[in-house]
Every structure is written in structure tokens, then in C-alpha cells.
Amino acid sequence: MGSQNTPNESQLLSAEALASLTEVPFNVEGLSGGQEAVWLEVIGKMEEVYTGLLQDEAELEEKNAALEDAKRFIDSVLSAMSDLMVVCDRKGNILQLNRAFSELAGETEEELLGKSLRDMVITPDDEADFSLRSCHDTEARLKTARGLSDLFSLTCTMRKDRRGRQGGYVITGRPIGELRRAYAALERAHDDLKQSQQRMIYAEKMASVGRLVAGVAHELNNPISFVYSNMHPLKDYAARLQQYLSIVHNMPGNEELSAVRKSLGIDDILDDLPPLVEAVEEGAERARDIVKGLRRMSFSGPENSKQIDMSAIVTSALTWARRGRKADVNISLALGNNLFIMGQESQVQQVALNLIQNAFDAMQGMPDRRLDIQTYRENGQIIAKFRDYGPGIPEDLLAKIFEPFFTTKDIGEGTGLGLWVSFDIVKAHGGDLTADNHPDGGAVLTMSLPAMAAPEQIHDGEEDT
């Protein structure tokens, strides 16, 4: 056993010396009985000491081997870590580090030991003093042999000694870019999940509404057809009755009949009868058109599309909106030329009419009632923008206004289906319908549809080929 295993060389003999002493034959002749017993006792003690030393040496070798295994294990773990790890004393001097820190610094472990970590850390705001006490998820760069490193997130933890007192710090670091990429990927996955869930809910809601609309349209179609089909004979009967009563009342000698006629207001009834019949007929026609629209929205069948001009559609829709309502609204038009799209003219006109009528409704009671309408081409899309000067749309309702049966109008003034139908029509045409608030007040609804070339351009192209 080497000298480092001997606690005190002046007090303990070496194992070899003890072994040689125990092998020396003693001549006990001439010794008194007391002296012989002392020598025998000394020899016995020496054998006990020798045996104990051998046992201590074996145990020490086992412990040294265990310590070496533990050190190799810890070193392998630290070397395998991709994150930075540094152990410092209370002054911030480096006591131990892992391979990742050494490779980042561009120096060997021997060169880094004893250096001040504070001198190697640069915070984004260029603070002169990097505090180990308050270091928690702190963004910083490290001075390396190749210059400043990328941003790292550093976290410091206090290290205690065997007496439980502060012995220094353990600092770990991870690249900010890696963390940000992980957070961004997690956020994207969460957003995709939310959008998928919303699409599923919306699809199920649309399917349910479609079935409901189809049933309502079917039930309304029969009585409306009955009313409409009877309006033509009713008009004919009314005309005949008017002619007959006119002859009867004009016959001579019917003074009593004339008095009854006057008291009952027969002349006023005859005058009101034609416009009343026409109003009923017009209402039946309008109801029939609504039912047709509902059936068209609930059943996606093959339809004939054609090339239509967006500016002409908007102009026609504005004319109908003005006829339907005597709204004192100042209209500002900025309509482009040759803004052609492919689609169903009646459906696109229905969208424009809904947007104009909603703008009129939103500005009821407002002192400044204006509506700005623009049509133009942008990035391969035909844009129709409707901006009113009403109160605008509350921010928390912007995402809901295209949902079915959602309305901000009073009960009885709106069904909540207009914008939903409009949104569905625009989507079916490959476009988009969005709502937003103007910075200067009022709402802005924008319809965008895929642009097509003007008919003249298409014709010229065909001639060239």
C-alpha cells in the first residue's frame, strides 16, 4: 500500500515491516516469565494491526473504484448535455463546466477554469454587471473566442456546501432560438387545432341550418303557390265586378241604391281594389323569390354561371335598395371599369343588396348618413367595398356576424340570415367576405371575387389563336 494510505508514518509501521517482524523467530530462552508474556502480546498486537491495515486497504480501493465510476458517469452526463452548464464559486469564478460550454467558448476546460463568468456574459441592454443572484430566464450573449454568441436563456441556482451555507452557483443556458421555435410550433399547433374545431362546428351548424331552411322553404312553397296562382283569376273577377256594379249604379231610378252606395263607400272600395290586388300579387312574388333563394342556398345543385360586371351588379343592387326604402343617404360611388367575374348574377346581386341594406339600417338615426361604395381590381381579385358612417361593429362581435341567426337588430327587424347567406354565396364563388371597422368610424364590408378578363380581351385572344 502506498504512503498516501498510511495515516501517520511516525506511528504506524508499513505492512512489509510488520510482516518481517512477525516472521522473525524469537528466542525466549533466558527471559523471565513476565518478559516472555510481554513479547508474545506485542507480536499478537502487531498481527492484529497488520490484518486491519489489509482490510482498510481493500475497502479503500473499493471506494476509490466507486468514486471513479461515479465521476465517469457524471462526466458523461455533462458531456452529453446540449445545454450549457457552469459551476461557479460565490465570486462567479468558474469551478466546473460541461463540454457544450467549452465548445461554445472555443477554449479548453483548463483555460476556462478560474475565469470570471461575469466577464463573459453580455446582456442585451449592455449592463456592466451581470448579477448571478437575480439571474432567472435572463437573455444574454457570451463572449467567445469567435466573438459574441447567439442569445441564450440563462438561469442561475444557488449551490450549498456540506455545511448548508452558500457555496456558489450553478448556471444553465439554452439557445433562445430553439426555445422560440418550440414555442412558435406549439402556438401554431394550438391555432390549427382551434381552427379545425371551429370549422367542424361551423360545418355541422351549416348542415343543420341547411336542413332547416330546406324544410321551411318546402312548407312555405305550397301556400305561396296557392296564393300566387289565385291572384290572376281574382284580378279578372274584380274587373268584372267593377264593370257590373258600374252598370247597375248608373241605371235610372235607383236613388235608394245610390244612397246605399254612398253610405257604404262602394266607390272608394272599387278604387282601392286594383292596387290592393296588385300589392298582394307583388308580396306573393316576393315571397316566392325568397323561397327560391332559400332552396338555392340549401341545395347546391349545378347552375349556369356567366361573366358579369361587378360595377353593374353594384349599380343595380343600389337601385333596388333605394326603391325598397326611402332612405335619406348620401351615396359616394367610385366604380371601376371592366371588373368581370364568373358567377351567378342574381346571387352576387343579392349579396350586394344585403350589404347596402345593412348599411342603411346601421345608419338609422345618425346625423351623417353616408355610404361609400368602391369597386376595383387588386392582386387578381375584384373588390367591392361598402363603408358606412354608422356606429361600427363591436370588436367582440366581428367574428360572429356571419353566423346564422346572429343579428344586432331589434326583435322583428332582422332574421340574422342575410350576412350568413351572403357569406355562403361569396365562398361558393371562390371569394371572401370580410367585416372590419374604419379608423374614422363606421363599418367596412369587403367582398372579393376572382377576376376574369374583359370580354373584349378574351375575344381578342381567341382571334389571335
Side-chain angles (χ1 to χ4, degrees):
M1 184 172 61
S3 60
Q4 70 272 16
N5 295 331
T6 304
N8 192 332
E9 293 184 354
S10 63
Q11 296 178 0
L12 297 177
L13 296 174
S14 66
E16 292 80 359
L18 289 173
S20 62
L21 287 175
T22 56
E23 294 175 357
V24 177
F26 283 92
N27 185 7
V28 296
E29 294 180 358
L31 295 177
S32 64
Q35 292 176 335
E36 180 180 355
V38 170
W39 275 108
L40 291 175
E41 183 178 357
V42 169
I43 294 172
K45 292 294 183 181
M46 293 173 62
E47 289 181 352
E48 291 178 5
V49 172
Y50 173 67
T51 303
L53 287 174
L54 291 178
Q55 293 176 351
D56 292 342
E57 182 181 13
E59 292 176 0
L60 188 58
E61 289 178 353
E62 291 178 0
K63 291 180 180 179
N64 285 338
L67 286 175
E68 290 293 333
D69 292 340
K71 184 177 182 304
R72 282 193 295 268
F73 176 77
I74 294 174
D75 290 341
S76 66
V77 171
L78 294 178
S79 299
M81 288 177 59
S82 59
D83 292 351
L84 306 181
M85 182 172 178
V86 186
V87 179
C88 298
D89 59 18
R90 288 182 293 179
K91 296 181 180 180
N93 298 322
I94 298 176
L95 300 178
Q96 193 174 356
L97 61 146
N98 66 346
R99 182 185 298 175
F101 187 89
S102 176
E103 292 177 350
L104 176 68
E107 300 181 58
T108 64
E109 181 178 353
E110 290 74 14
E111 292 172 337
L112 291 170
L113 290 178
K115 280 190 174 183
S116 174
L117 183 64
R118 290 190 177 93
D119 296 339
M120 299 181 64
V121 176
I122 300 295
T123 55
D125 51 359
D126 229 0
E127 293 179 355
D129 187 16
F130 171 69
S131 176
L132 292 173
R133 293 179 180 271
S134 59
C135 171
H136 180 72
D137 197 17
T138 301
E139 293 186 8
R141 299 179 188 272
L142 297 178
K143 295 179 182 178
T144 70
R146 297 176 292 274
L148 291 180
S149 69
D150 294 332
L151 276 175
F152 278 78
S153 174
L154 300 181
T155 299
C156 304
T157 306
M158 187 176 68
R159 180 177 61 88
K160 295 183 179 181
D161 59 17
R162 61 182 181 179
R163 297 180 181 178
R165 298 180 301 183
Q166 180 182 352
Y169 301 93
V170 178
I171 301 94
T172 57
R174 173 168 292 184
I176 293 292
E178 181 180 345
L179 289 174
R180 287 178 177 170
R181 285 192 295 270
Y183 290 146
L186 182 61
E187 186 175 359
R188 285 194 301 269
H190 183 253
D191 291 341
D192 292 342
L193 181 61
K194 287 174 59 179
Q195 292 177 3
S196 299
Q197 184 182 19
Q198 291 175 354
R199 284 194 294 267
M200 291 176 63
I201 295 174
Y202 181 77
E204 181 62 28
K205 187 185 296 184
M206 294 302 101
S208 300
V209 171
R211 290 190 292 268
L212 175 62
V213 169
V216 171
H218 177 73
E219 294 299 327
L220 289 177
N221 191 53
N222 292 332
I224 291 173
S225 299
F226 177 77
V227 172
Y228 188 75
S229 62
N230 285 292
M231 289 308 302
H232 294 288
L234 182 61
K235 290 172 66 177
D236 182 56
Y237 295 161
R240 294 183 186 182
L241 287 173
Q242 282 182 309
Q243 184 179 2
Y244 172 75
L245 291 175
S246 177
I247 295 173
V248 171
H249 292 159
N250 291 327
M251 293 178 63
N254 289 329
E255 291 78 6
E256 184 179 354
L257 184 61
S258 297
V260 174
R261 172 183 178 180
K262 184 176 182 180
S263 64
L264 295 177
I266 298 300
D267 292 336
D268 294 335
I269 293 175
L270 293 176
D271 292 338
D272 290 342
L273 191 58
L276 288 175
V277 173
E278 290 178 1
V280 173
E281 184 178 15
E282 183 180 354
E285 289 179 352
R286 185 175 179 183
R288 186 178 62 175
D289 292 339
I290 293 174
V291 170
K292 286 182 179 179
L294 292 175
R295 291 174 65 86
R296 182 170 59 247
M297 289 306 303
S298 57
F299 298 104
S300 56
E303 297 180 346
N304 295 324
S305 297
K306 64 178 182 179
Q307 200 170 40
I308 52 180
D309 185 1
M310 177 65 81
S311 295
I313 289 290
V314 170
T315 303
S316 176
L318 182 59
T319 301
W320 280 102
R322 282 173 165 171
R323 284 180 182 177
R325 301 183 182 184
K326 295 180 180 180
D328 185 16
V329 178
N330 295 322
I331 309 294
S332 174
L333 296 176
L335 306 180
N337 298 321
N338 296 327
L339 303 179
F340 291 94
I341 61 172
M342 181 64 73
Q344 290 290 313
E345 182 175 2
S346 60
Q347 292 186 5
V348 179
Q349 183 175 338
Q350 179 183 355
V351 175
L353 182 59
N354 284 341
L355 299 182
I356 294 173
Q357 289 176 338
N358 282 346
F360 286 172
D361 293 339
M363 293 186 290
Q364 285 185 357
M366 301 292 293
D368 185 14
R369 304 182 67 189
R370 287 186 290 163
L371 177 61
D372 298 340
I373 303 177
Q374 295 177 280
T375 58
Y376 54 93
R377 183 191 300 266
E378 183 178 77
N379 298 327
Q381 298 285 312
I382 300 300
I383 310 297
K385 185 171 291 186
F386 304 81
R387 187 251 169 130
D388 63 54
Y389 286 76
I393 306 171
E395 293 295 332
D396 57 335
L397 301 182
L398 278 174
K400 299 180 180 180
I401 63 172
F402 296 116
E403 294 182 0
F405 304 114
F406 179 83
T407 179
T408 57
K409 300 177 183 178
D410 295 335
I411 297 176
E413 295 186 3
T415 61
L417 292 174
L419 287 179
W420 166 64
V421 171
S422 300
F423 183 81
D424 210 22
I425 291 175
V426 174
K427 285 294 185 182
H429 282 72
D432 195 16
L433 181 61
T434 60
D436 205 348
N437 288 314
H438 197 276
D440 297 330
V444 180
L445 280 93
T446 305
M447 172 173 54
S448 60
L449 293 168
M452 293 192 67
E456 295 79 3
Q457 294 173 328
I458 295 177
H459 183 68
D460 293 343
E462 290 177 351
E463 288 184 349
D464 293 340
T465 58

